[in-house]
Structure formats: C-alpha cells, structure tokens
Amino acid sequence: MPTNLDTRPVVLTGDRTTGPLHLGHYAGSLKSRLALQESHCQYLLLADLQALTDNADDPSRIRRNVLEVAFDYLAVGVDPGVTTIAVQSQLPALAELTMLYMNFVTVSRLERNPTIKAEIQLRGFERDVPAGFLCYPVAQAADITAFKATVVPVGEDQVPLIEQTNEIVRRINRQAGRPVLVEAEARLSRVARLPGVDGKGKMSKSQGNAIPLSATPDMIREAVGRMYTDPNHLRASDPGTVEGNVVFTYLDAFAEDEAEVAAMKAAYRRGGLGDMVTKRRLEEILVAFLDPIRKRRAEIAADPGYVLSVLDEGTRRARAVTQATLHEVRAGLGLTLADLTLASAHGPRALTA
Ligand code: TRP
C-alpha cells in the first residue's frame, strides 16, 4: 500500500471504461501491470472521463462498464492490497490539471499526434471532432503526472501520448523554474499490439475481432476458428508462413512453452502441420488461461459491494496524491491562494479560502 515513505518508482495506467477488457488488453498491458505490482507503487485508473470523449451520446455505457473493468482487474490478479484502483471522474484535481496544461499545448500539436489522427479517422469524426476528444492527450498527461508516474505500461499505440506528456512536463517545469513534474517512460510489453482474430488492425471490441477475458470455451473455440492464418496454406502438407499468421502471434503471446512454439513454427514452415492442429493447440492454451479468470470474475461480480469498497478506498488515496500535485503545479505557476493574496493591494485579508 502506498504511503508517504514509499520510495518505489510509481507506475500508472488506465483503461477507458467502454466495455469489458479482452486478450489485447492482457497482452498489451495487464500482464506488465501484474509483474510490476509488488516492486512498484502502482495506480490503475478507471478512465470513465476519457471514455466520455468519444461516448458522450451514451454515458450509461460508461457507468455500467466501470465495474466491469474493475471485475477484470481483480479477476486477472490485480491485488487491491498493493495496487491502488481509482475512478477518474472522482478525482477533480485531474480536471484542474488538464485545464492548466491546456495552455501549454497547441491545437496543431494535438492534431498532429499520430494516435489522435488514427483514432479520429477510425471513428469517422472527420471535421466534427469533439473538443474533449482532441484534448484527451492533455487529460492523459494530467493522469500520468498527477501521480508523478515514471513508468507507464501501455501498448505501442499509446507511445505518442507519453511523448506529449513529457513535452508538457518540460514546459511546466521550465515555466515554474524547478522540477515540479517528472517525465514518464512507456514500458512496452513483449507483444505490444495483439491483432484482432481477423488479422486486421489491433484487437478491439468495436471491430468485432476481440476475445474478452470472460470468454467461455465455446466463445474461444468460435474465435480461434475464425482466426486469420496463411491464405496460401491450402493443404496441411504445403509449406506455410508464420509471419502475419494470427494463430502464431497468439501462441507467441500466450504459450508458456517457447520451445514448443518454435518447433511448431519450424514444422509449419516446412510443411506438414495443418491449421486445424495449430488452432486446436491454441484453443487449449487459451481455454486453460482464461478458465480460471472467468471463474474468478464470476465470483467477484457476485459481490459488487466488495468491489465498490475497493474503488472507494483507492479513489480516496488517489485523491490525496493528485491534490498534492495540483497544489505544487499551482504554486509553480503562481496560482495558489497565497500568491493571489500577496499580489493583492489590500493585504492578507483580501482573499480567504
Ligand atoms: N488511453 C488509455 C486507453 O485508451 C486509457 C488511459 C487513460 C491511460 N489514462 C491513462 C493509459 C493514463 C495510460 C496512462 O486505454
């Protein structure tokens, strides 16, 4: 549990609460978070405010999924005794920091952000981009810096957002004349981007190519059956291509026995290993991986009162940390109540809290 005496490096990540998490989230970031939680002071944000930036027409979806994502965290093994889980919308300091940082970023810089550019295109916003969406990298910079995080385990699509964060950190520190904020580093997992089962782009619920962490064995079988392989590998005896073959990408991400996967790749390239066989093996591996997660998730979901108490406690802790940073940033920019009182011609009684 984080305390003032905690000197471990700080990790922060979050997830938009737009739906339950899937295998892409696991490979891209949940796995690193589990590895970091003992050695680092870790915070996880249920990013409901960020979810609103492209779901303003459906806030009930966001509300519903705050708990769903929390269930996923706890089901995969996030330990609320060591990791702090907080609800973004309940941390007003983040909104205030966003407002301050907004003055240290240009609109054209935001429009040039490769992540934002790609997401605007994917969502078909064209010229009608919500201002909140265009500015979400600034809000994400607030999330990261408010906790003084130095490590951010994310998928590679998030790297430009970390760069944007560090630009803001440098500008605020230059303005303040001292290192008020710290720069963060993106920590990429071995599999930075898991493709969807169709092999088109990254795994995403909205693209219908995702395997949720709560998938049943039947759902897994169906998804693996649809997986994109080598279209030129018509007979089992033909030599096949491993690169871009989704079954092998998933085996790389989820099989524990690397030697087994290496042997399968060699046999596939040589010819003689059929897609039915590789898919059957992947299915076994995914069922073995997801079965305990699904069962634990069902137990946790049966006790929402417990989960709410975890979020309440985590949010309380996060509120203290983020308020403290907000105060430091305000002081760095000369915007505390004391600064205003000093500047007032009427002396110390001019302004009171
Ligand atoms: N942008 C992340 C996503 O789309 C969610 C997120 C919000 C986040 N705040 C963050 C990630 C801070 C890392 C750090 O899933």
Side-chain angles (χ1 to χ4, degrees):
M1 199 167 298
T3 66
N4 293 340
L5 301 175
D6 199 336
T7 55
R8 297 172 301 171
V10 179
V11 192
L12 173 117
T13 41
D15 294 280
R16 293 182 188 194
T17 57
T18 51
L21 303 184
H22 51 61
L23 283 180
H25 292 110
Y26 189 88
S29 133
L30 285 173
K31 191 175 175 192
S32 332
R33 300 180 197 177
L34 295 177
L36 292 169
Q37 72 178 342
E38 301 294 340
S39 54
H40 288 62
C41 170
Q42 176 159 257
Y43 298 92
L44 299 186
L45 267 188
L46 294 161
D48 53 349
L49 276 187
Q50 190 177 112
L52 196 61
T53 64
D54 62 344
N55 287 280
D57 56 349
D58 193 6
S60 71
R61 173 179 178 200
I62 297 165
R63 190 172 344 112
R64 234 180 13 253
N65 283 302
V66 168
L67 275 185
E68 294 293 326
V69 176
F71 296 159
D72 286 326
Y73 285 170
L74 299 173
V76 297
V78 169
D79 174 358
V82 288
T83 291
T84 300
I85 307 175
V87 182
Q88 191 182 38
S89 64
Q90 305 309 309
L91 302 172
L94 298 181
E96 235 178 292
L97 283 171
T98 303
M99 208 59 204
L100 293 171
Y101 294 174
M102 208 87 93
N103 304 297
F104 294 85
V105 190
T106 65
V107 173
S108 71
R109 174 67 181 90
L110 290 168
E111 284 171 342
R112 269 185 287 122
N113 186 312
T115 305
I116 298 299
K117 258 167 105 167
E119 290 183 340
I120 286 175
Q121 207 163 30
L122 192 69
R123 286 164 178 71
F125 283 142
E126 294 180 12
R127 289 200 45 76
D128 295 321
V129 185
F133 188 83
L134 184 66
C135 297
Y136 96 71
V138 184
Q140 189 154 319
D143 297 344
I144 295 168
T145 55
F147 291 91
K148 304 251 170 88
T150 55
V151 181
V152 186
V154 284
E156 78 189 326
D157 59 306
Q158 299 280 305
V159 170
L161 298 177
I162 313 296
E163 286 165 6
Q164 176 86 77
T165 298
N166 289 337
E167 283 174 32
I168 293 173
V169 167
R170 289 191 289 268
R171 291 208 53 184
I172 295 276
N173 287 348
R174 196 178 325 132
Q175 197 57 46
R178 56 192 148 89
V180 175
L181 300 175
V182 292
E183 292 192 39
E185 165 210 334
R187 177 80 51 92
L188 295 179
S189 54
R190 194 164 54 90
V191 181
R193 169 187 282 232
L194 196 69
V197 297
D198 55 4
K200 292 187 194 133
K202 71 169 181 173
M203 181 178 281
S204 148
K205 191 173 179 240
S206 60
Q207 303 297 303
N209 63 10
I211 301 178
L213 293 175
S214 54
T216 61
D218 280 345
M219 289 162 73
I220 294 167
R221 195 167 307 119
E222 187 273 331
V224 172
R226 280 196 289 138
M227 254 177 211
Y228 179 85
T229 59
D230 171 5
N232 298 317
H233 184 242
L234 298 177
R235 279 177 301 261
S237 56
D238 291 341
T241 305
V242 163
E243 289 70 31
N245 185 317
V246 176
V247 175
F248 283 102
T249 311
Y250 281 51
L251 285 169
D252 278 332
F254 295 101
E256 279 174 16
D257 186 347
E258 286 178 26
E260 180 196 1
V261 178
M264 284 172 75
K265 286 181 180 172
Y268 195 83
R269 289 197 173 104
R270 212 183 304 124
L273 181 59
D275 287 320
M276 286 289 284
V277 180
T278 59
K279 285 189 170 181
R280 188 59 42 80
R281 182 69 189 117
L282 175 61
E283 195 184 299
E284 270 171 19
I285 288 169
L286 291 183
V287 168
F289 174 64
L290 288 177
D291 241 26
I293 293 177
R294 191 186 71 256
K295 287 179 184 143
R296 214 172 315 132
R297 196 182 190 284
E299 283 166 23
I300 292 160
D303 191 0
Y306 162 70
V307 181
L308 284 171
S309 73
V310 165
L311 301 188
D312 193 53
E313 163 78 23
T315 302
R316 215 183 288 268
R317 250 185 271 153
R319 216 174 269 141
V321 177
T322 55
Q323 283 295 346
T325 305
L326 172 63
H327 186 78
E328 290 173 54
V329 173
R330 276 168 161 271
L333 300 177
L335 291 171
T336 63
L337 190 62
D339 293 311
L340 298 179
T341 307
L342 272 179
S344 156
H346 302 287
R349 276 189 300 149
L351 281 168
T352 47

